[in-house]
């Protein structure tokens, strides 16, 4: 048993979230210029919560807490450029940032947890840049959502 020191049976939820079993996730606020991004963020967070399994989804009426998410920033960086034209990117990096807070349903003024989560992905610039960005943003949002849920479920 000495080799199991530090391990515990049961959940590893943060202390502030120990009483929360069900979480309500309303539509995320989209503070960017990307259309339908609020729905993409909400879907990503809900998928990550379902996959993790630490919390169950609930409605506004039966949930123990509400998870409010804001999609507030998208950053692009050039990773590679064309050899003949250094100003034209060949591969881009995208980073999305989410602000979030968990509010107790019994006391709407009580914030149980809050933070910022981010997700990063890279994509190649092709003739249809809009399609490439749309595919990449879904991947980056999914990564940010997984980071958010890991923080809620494990505390880090």
């Amino acid at each position: 048993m000495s080799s199991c020191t530090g391990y515990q049976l049961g959940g590893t939820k943060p202390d502030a979230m120990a009483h929360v079993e069900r979480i309500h996730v309303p539509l995320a606020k989209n503070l960017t210029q990307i259309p339908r991004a609020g729905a993409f963020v909400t879907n990503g967070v809900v998928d990550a919560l379902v996959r993790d399994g630490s919390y169950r989804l609930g409605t506004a009426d039966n949930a123990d807490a509400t998870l409010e998410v804001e999609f507030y920033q998208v950053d692009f960086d050039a990773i590679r450029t064309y050899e003949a034209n250094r100003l034209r990117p060949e591969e881009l990096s995208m980073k999305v940032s989410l602000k979030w807070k968990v509010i107790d349903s019994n006391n709407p003024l009580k914030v149980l947890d809050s933070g910022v989560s981010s997700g990063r992905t890279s994509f190649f610039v092709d003739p249809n840049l809009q399609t490439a960005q749309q595919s990449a943003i879904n991947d980056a949002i999914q990564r940010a959502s997984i980071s958010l849920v890991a923080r809620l479920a494990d505390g880090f």
Side-chain angles (χ1 to χ4, degrees), residues 54-72:
S54 296
Y55 302 100
R56 294 182 4 205
L57 295 176
T59 63
D61 297 330
N62 69 359
D64 301 317
T66 300
L67 174 61
E68 294 180 355
V69 183
E70 287 182 0
F71 178 39
Y72 73 97

Side-chain angles (χ1 to χ4, degrees), residues 83-102:
E83 195 171 308
N85 184 356
R86 295 288 180 203
L87 297 176
R88 184 175 171 203
E90 184 178 17
E91 184 177 6
L92 293 171
S93 171
M94 176 191 293
K95 178 184 175 188
V96 300
S97 299
L98 307 174
K99 286 183 193 174
W100 54 271
K101 62 183 172 180
V102 180

Side-chain angles (χ1 to χ4, degrees), residues 38-51 138 141-146 149:
F40 295 145
V41 170
T42 305
N43 288 341
V45 171
V46 167
D47 287 346
L49 278 169
V50 168
R51 284 188 183 143
N138 286 331
I141 287 172
Q142 194 71 22
R143 292 171 191 258
S145 299
I146 290 169
V149 170

